[in-house]
Amino acid sequence: MSRHSGAHASSKLDARLQALQDARELGEGVLPDQALQDVFDVLERASSRRSLSGDHTVVGFFGATGSGKSSLFNAVSGAEIATAAARRPTTSEPLAGVWGAAGSEALLDWLEVRNRHHAASVDGFADEQTGLILLDLPDFDSTHAANRGIVQRMVGMVDVLVWVLDPQKYADAAVHHGFLAPHASHGAVTLVVLNQVDRLPEHDVQPVLDSLHAILAGEGLGQVRVLPSSAVTGAGIGEVRAAIRKVAVQRQAQSRRLEADITKAGQDLRQASGDGDAAGVRPAARSRLAGELAVAANVPAVVRAVGQSYRLESVRRTGWPVTRWLSRFRPDPLRRLNLRRDSPAGLNRTSLPAAGAPERARTDAAVREFADAASEGAPGPWRAAIRGRARAGRDRLPDALDQAIAGTDIGANRKAWWWGAFNVVQWLALLTVLGGLGWLGVLAGLAYLQLPVPEVPRAEGWPVPTLMIAFGLVLGIFLAVTGRFIASGAARARAARARRRLNSAVAAAAQELVVAPVEEEIARLAAFNKALKKAMGP
C-alpha cells in the first residue's frame, strides 16, 4: 500500500471515528447507557490500537475444545509453540508467536499477553520483516469463566480473527450465535478454517464445506473464506499460511478491523436508536400552539378589557361634562387586571385569575399535540426525548405567559388625539349654555327688582340667550353621542392591536419554553443520523 493511499485511508478512518464519537455524544441522555458505553469502548480500543505498532498484524486463533486449534497454531507456526494437552481446556491463557519482535512489546502489553515466543522464520510465510503476531487463545467454550472472558476480550482486540472449527461441531450454535453472527460486519478480517478434515471420508469433505458456507451466508458472512485443513497430515496448512501472510503483508488488517468495529458499533447504535427523522415544527403547528396557549392565558379576556377600558375612558374625557362624572363610579377593567399603571410593565404581574384545572388541561393538551406532531416519524427514544423537552417547559408556561401579558404594551395609557378636541368643544358648549342661562338670569333679576330690562337681541325672532342654551345643549349631546360611536370603532381597533401584540408575546413565550427546545432536540436527532451515517460509511 502506497504512502499516499495509506494517508488517505487513515484520514477516512479518522473521519469515521470522529463521526462515531459525535453520534455517541449526541445520543447521551436519549439512548441506553449500555449502548453508549459499548461505543465508547470501541472508540477507546481504536485509539489505543492506533497508538501502537502499525507494522504488526495480530492474528487470533479461536476455537472450541477439541477443534485442534493449538495443533493448527503449531502447524502454521512451523514449531511446537503451543503444547496440545489431553486435559480440558487445552489452553489456559494467550500465547504469542512473534515474527518481528521490534515494536511488538507495547502491543503485546496492551493485549495482556505474557507468554511470548520469538518464532523462527518460516519460508514463504513469515520472518522478522513480516511483523506478524499469532495468538493461541483459550477455548471459547471453556468451563472456566476467566478463560471465556479472555476470549471475549480478544475477539474485540485482535486484527484478524481465525475461527477453527471441526467437522463434528462446525454447526454448533454456541460459536455461530455467540461469536460469528454478532461479528458479521467483520467479514473482511475473518478467516474460517475447517480443521481435522482427515477425520472425514474424502467424499464428505466438500459437502461439509458447502454446508458450512451456507450457514455462514445465512449469518451475513457469505464472503468469508473457508479453508479445509489438517494439522495432522498438513493438508491445507499452506493455504492457511498464505491467507494469513497476505493480510500481514498488505498492512491493512488493522484499519479493516477498526472499520469493521466502527460499522458494527454504528449498527448497534442504530438498533438502539431506531431509524427515521422527525417531521419537524411546521408553521401551522406553531400557530396552533400559540393560539391554544393564548386562550389558556386569558388573552381574550384582556382584549375585551382593552376595548371596554377605552370606551370608558372616552366617555370620561369626551362625554357631556354635566354627566361624565358618573362614569367615575364604573371600575376600569384594565386597572382591575393590574394592566393600567405608571410603573414599568416588566416589574409587575397581572391580576388575571390563576390557571385552573381547565386552563392547565388546555395547556397540557396543546403542548402534547405540538410535540406529537413535531416528533412524528422519529424513532422511539428520540420521540420520547422530544416530548420530554416539550414537557420540561410546560410547567413554567403559566408564569411565563402571565409575565408576557404583563410586559406587553397594550396601549392602556395611550390617549387618543380626538379626546382633547372633543373635550374643548364640550366645555365651550357647556359655557355657551351657562352663558345663556346667566344672561336670562340677569334679565329675570332685573325684572324681579322692577328695574329697566334692556331689549334682548334676537336672531330670526329667537332670543339670543335662549338660542345659546339650545345650541349648547344640542352640541353637547351631539358630541357625547358621536363620541360614543367613534369610541366604539376606536376601541375595536385598539383591542385588535392589543390582541396582535398579546398573541405575539404568547408566541414568544411558547417559542422559548416549548418550540425552541423541541427544535433543538429535532436538530440533535438530525445531527445524530448524519453522524451515524457518516460513521457507518457507504
Side-chain angles (χ1 to χ4, degrees):
M1 183 170 61
S2 69
R3 180 177 300 177
H4 176 73
S5 60
H8 176 72
S10 178
S11 176
K12 185 178 179 181
L13 187 59
D14 287 338
R16 292 187 63 187
L17 285 169
Q18 184 58 53
L20 184 62
Q21 170 66 6
D22 293 342
R24 187 192 70 82
E25 291 177 350
L26 289 165
E28 288 183 354
V30 177
L31 304 182
D33 292 340
Q34 186 57 54
L36 297 176
Q37 182 60 45
D38 291 343
V39 173
F40 179 79
D41 293 341
V42 169
L43 293 168
E44 283 291 290
R45 288 198 301 270
S47 176
S48 298
R49 181 63 183 93
R50 297 184 78 197
S51 68
L52 299 169
S53 174
D55 295 327
H56 286 81
T57 301
V58 182
V59 180
F61 280 64
F62 301 87
T65 304
S67 63
K69 168 176 53 62
S70 295
S71 298
L72 179 66
F73 175 86
N74 287 334
V76 172
S77 301
E80 291 294 321
I81 297 177
T83 302
R87 65 183 181 86
R88 298 174 64 186
T90 58
T91 306
S92 59
E93 62 180 72
L95 183 146
V98 182
W99 288 266
S104 66
E105 294 299 319
L107 178 57
L108 289 168
D109 289 341
W110 176 66
L111 292 168
E112 299 180 16
V113 177
R114 293 178 297 173
N115 295 331
R116 308 168 186 181
H117 180 79
H118 187 187
S121 297
V122 177
D123 290 340
F125 174 53
D127 54 28
E128 284 299 301
Q129 305 303 315
T130 307
L132 176 63
I133 299 175
L134 296 187
L135 296 181
D136 184 26
L137 301 167
D139 303 327
F140 61 74
D141 61 348
S142 171
T143 57
H144 295 282
N147 290 350
R148 294 195 301 273
I150 291 173
V151 173
Q152 289 284 2
R153 180 171 61 83
M154 286 298 185
V155 165
M157 300 178 76
V158 300
D159 299 327
V160 179
L161 302 99
V162 177
W163 296 99
V164 182
L165 307 179
D166 65 89
Q168 287 73 37
K169 295 187 291 186
Y170 72 89
D172 188 2
V175 64
H176 287 277
H177 296 166
F179 293 95
L180 285 169
H183 289 82
S185 59
H186 292 68
V189 290
T190 298
L191 178 66
V192 175
V193 177
L194 181 66
N195 196 27
Q196 301 175 348
V197 293
D198 57 290
R199 296 184 179 182
L200 289 173
E202 186 175 349
H203 60 83
D204 285 341
V205 173
Q206 191 58 47
V208 172
L209 288 173
D210 293 340
S211 174
L212 179 54
H213 267 297
I215 294 173
L216 292 173
E219 294 167 344
L221 291 164
Q223 302 302 316
V224 170
R225 190 176 180 186
V226 180
L227 298 175
S229 72
S230 171
V232 174
T233 66
I237 299 301
E239 287 76 6
V240 175
R241 284 177 175 173
I244 294 175
R245 175 177 173 78
K246 181 178 180 181
V247 296
V249 171
Q250 288 178 340
R251 298 283 194 272
Q252 296 182 23
Q254 179 195 139
S255 296
R256 288 181 177 178
R257 169 62 202 253
L258 294 180
E259 289 174 354
D261 286 345
I262 296 170
T263 298
K264 185 177 185 303
Q267 291 171 348
D268 292 344
L269 204 57
R270 171 59 69 199
Q271 184 176 5
S273 165
D275 202 3
D277 289 300
V281 177
R282 297 185 175 93
R286 192 197 309 263
S287 299
R288 188 161 53 250
L289 172 66
E292 290 296 311
L293 294 181
V295 174
N298 290 309
V299 166
V302 176
V303 172
R304 286 194 301 271
V306 169
Q308 293 169 356
S309 177
Y310 184 87
R311 285 190 290 270
L312 179 60
E313 190 67 18
S314 296
V315 171
R316 290 175 179 175
R317 294 179 178 272
T318 66
W320 195 29
V322 176
T323 59
R324 70 170 63 170
W325 62 274
L326 295 173
S327 62
R328 302 290 177 182
F329 294 102
R330 295 175 56 189
D332 188 330
L334 284 182
R335 199 173 296 280
R336 284 191 304 176
L337 298 178
N338 198 29
L339 291 173
R340 181 187 290 280
R341 50 186 174 260
D342 298 326
S343 57
L347 302 179
N348 293 274
R349 303 294 300 275
T350 73
S351 296
L352 287 165
E359 289 76 20
R360 288 194 298 270
R362 188 169 197 137
T363 298
D364 291 348
V367 172
R368 184 170 59 253
E369 180 185 355
F370 173 80
D372 287 346
S375 63
E376 185 178 357
W382 292 96
R383 192 174 179 88
I386 293 170
R387 289 170 172 172
R389 289 296 300 276
R391 287 195 300 270
R394 179 187 59 190
D395 296 335
R396 296 166 52 197
L397 272 174
D399 188 64
L401 293 176
D402 189 78
Q403 290 185 10
I405 292 173
T408 301
D409 179 13
I410 55 177
N413 297 320
R414 191 174 299 121
K415 297 178 176 61
W417 65 268
W418 62 277
W419 287 352
F422 269 55
N423 189 46
V424 169
V425 177
Q426 280 284 27
W427 280 106
L428 290 176
L430 179 59
L431 290 176
T432 301
V433 172
L434 294 177
L437 290 174
W439 193 342
L440 291 179
V442 170
L443 294 177
L446 292 174
Y448 179 78
L449 296 174
Q450 300 295 310
L451 294 175
V453 178
E455 185 69 22
V456 177
R458 292 177 179 273
E460 299 294 330
W462 293 88
V464 171
T466 303
L467 290 176
M468 290 174 62
I469 295 171
F471 176 77
L473 289 174
V474 171
L475 180 58
I477 294 172
F478 172 78
L479 289 175
V481 173
T482 303
R484 286 182 179 272
F485 279 107
I486 296 175
S488 179
R492 287 193 295 271
R494 179 165 290 193
R497 285 197 300 272
R499 179 184 292 106
R500 288 193 296 270
R501 292 180 179 180
L502 289 169
N503 286 340
S504 178
V506 168
Q511 174 70 29
E512 178 184 355
L513 296 179
V514 179
V515 179
V518 165
E519 288 178 328
E520 289 175 3
E521 207 65 25
I522 292 173
R524 182 182 173 191
L525 169 59
F528 171 84
N529 285 335
K530 182 179 179 181
L532 193 56
K533 181 179 179 180
K534 183 177 180 180
M536 295 175 67

